[in-house]
Each structure stands twice: as structure tokens, then as C-alpha cells.
Amino acid sequence: EVQLVESGGGLVQPGRSLRLSCTASGFTFGDYAMSWVRQAPGKGLEWVGFIRSKAYGGTTEYAASVKGRFTISRDDSKSIAYLQMNSLKTEDTAVYYCTRESGAVAGNPVYWGQGTLVTVSS
Amino acid sequence: EIVLTQSPATLSLSPGERATLSCRASQSVSSYLAWYQQKPGQAPRLLIYDASNRATGIPARFSGSGSGTDFTLTISSLEPEDFAVYYCQQRSNWPLMYTFGQGTKLEIK
């Protein structure tokens, strides 16, 4: 059974940093691309970014709203994906979901974690 | 950036009725269109990918159609557990990015 468990959320002040982790199990982590999607309270879904599998360079793509501030990385030896969030803004407040793609490159977010809440506030 | 517009914003129907949800793209997305269901307090669940393919474990009452700019999610006969928010999502390959529609809330009439 595919499982994705996010951790690392919490309350952080504007301008500070936070790193989220997504621990995966139930599949060969290194074979799949991973994405992060967020949802502000009471709002819709917003794609944050994406990391390809190492077989496709492990390269990343980001939404314009987070580009230059957020970084996605992966540790295939630990089956963990990370979302490093710097220079946080109040508008980054959201539940952050880790997702597993359908393949090694772009596809669709097929499996989703339960999400972790990030609150950016002074 | 491609914008997805879902309609209606809210759809009120009774169990057993047929539901038709629409998603329109601001420019062609070919068949790179997916549908997700989200219930309160839960993560989204993939229902349909590549416009018309049901994801694993999704009941046959869910079907997707369309290509280019106009897409439809149909639920043939509503079950009580189908009342939720539905999102469409597209994938652009160059540059790679995903966008979601604003959602359609399917509520019990």
C-alpha cells in the first residue's frame, strides 16, 4: 500500500524558513516523480512544484508564486522528499500535500499524503 | 498560463440523479486533463486522468470526456458518498506546470 506522510508543518513568522518532509512507503521511491500541492484555508488547490526521478535528472519545476523561495529535493536512500520554504509570506499559509506522480516524469498526482498545515503569522 | 474554469460553482442534486460537471481551459490542453474528488478534511483523490481514463479503484459511475478546451465529468447515478468538491487539473509540458480549476461543490438537494 502506497503511503505518504508529511511532517514539519507548524507556525512560523513571516520571512523565516521551514522544511517539510514527505516519508514514502509501499513503492520504489526512486522510480517516481514527486510533487507538492497546497491548499489555503477554505480555498482551492494550488500546485507548488515537482521533482523528477533521478533517472530523468532529478530536475525540478516550480509555480511562479514560489519560484526562487522554495526548493524541492529528494533522498532516494531514505524514501523522503523535501520542501524547503524560505522567505515565507502570510499568503503561504496552507495545508501542504505531498503527492506521488504516475511515473518518473510528468503525469498526474496519483497518491496524496494527509497534508501538513503551515501557518505563517507574526 | 492556462486557466481552468469550472462550472457550476455549486451543483445541488439528489442521490440517484445524474451529475454533469464542466471544466473549460483558456487554451488547448490536448487530453492532459484530470479530475479529483475532495471530501471535507481529506486529501484529494484522483478519479480520472488523461480526460477519460478512470484511476484504479474508481467506480464505473464516474466517467470523463472531452479534449482540447472543453471537458466533462459525469457521475451517472449519485451515491451519498459522492457529495464532495471536484477539481479539474491540467498539465502543461513546456514549461512543466500544473493548474487546477477553482472547484465545483456537489451538494445534496
Side-chain angles (χ1 to χ4, degrees):
Chain A
E1 180 192 5
V2 173
Q3 285 196 319
L4 301 170
V5 179
E6 301 94 337
S7 59
L11 176 63
V12 61
Q13 293 179 326
R16 304 296 292 264
S17 299
L18 200 64
R19 188 178 79 162
L20 306 183
S21 299
C22 170
T23 302
S25 60
F27 64 99
T28 304
F29 182 78
D31 288 348
Y32 291 90
M34 303 293 292
S35 290
W36 289 89
V37 176
R38 68 183 180 182
Q39 186 169 36
K43 303 297 184 182
L45 302 170
E46 180 188 16
W47 174 70
V48 172
F50 170 97
I51 185 166
R52 297 174 179 84
S53 72
K54 289 287 176 60
Y56 288 86
T59 51
T60 54
E61 308 284 350
Y62 299 97
S65 58
V66 306
K67 196 169 186 178
R69 299 189 299 123
F70 289 13
T71 302
I72 299 173
S73 60
R74 61 190 301 154
D75 185 337
D76 291 354
S77 68
K78 296 180 180 178
S79 296
I80 299 177
Y82 299 100
L83 177 63
Q84 176 68 43
M85 303 183 292
N86 298 331
S87 303
L88 282 161
K89 306 175 182 180
T90 56
E91 53 263 41
D92 295 319
T93 294
V95 173
Y96 284 74
Y97 294 102
C98 167
T99 81
R100 197 207 82 178
E101 295 286 316
S102 54
V105 292
N108 295 106
V110 177
Y111 295 96
W112 297 60
Q114 85 289 349
T116 187
L117 176 62
V118 173
T119 302
V120 184
S121 174
S122 54
Chain B
E1 178 181 331
I2 296 175
V3 176
L4 297 179
T5 302
Q6 292 186 240
S7 62
T10 303
L11 184 58
S12 300
L13 294 170
S14 300
E17 290 192 292
R18 181 184 187 90
T20 303
L21 287 67
S22 174
C23 177
R24 176 164 290 179
S26 58
Q27 58 186 280
S28 178
V29 299
S30 185
S31 295
Y32 298 134
L33 197 286
W35 291 92
Y36 295 84
Q37 177 194 67
Q38 187 178 33
K39 297 179 181 179
Q42 296 185 16
R45 177 174 71 146
L46 177 66
L47 300 174
I48 301 288
Y49 66 94
D50 292 346
S52 61
N53 296 291
R54 269 191 305 277
T56 302
I58 301 304
R61 64 181 182 274
F62 291 91
S63 64
S65 63
S67 65
T69 61
D70 289 298
F71 299 87
T72 300
L73 173 69
T74 301
I75 310 172
S76 59
S77 179
L78 285 166
E79 297 288 342
E81 62 267 26
D82 297 337
F83 293 92
V85 179
Y86 291 82
Y87 295 95
C88 59
Q89 173 248 323
Q90 69 86 25
R91 178 181 89 241
S92 305
N93 284 329
W94 191 257
L96 175 65
M97 65 179 299
Y98 297 163
T99 53
F100 290 89
Q102 82 282 12
T104 289
K105 182 179 181 180
L106 178 56
E107 64 177 24
I108 300 176
K109 187 174 182 179

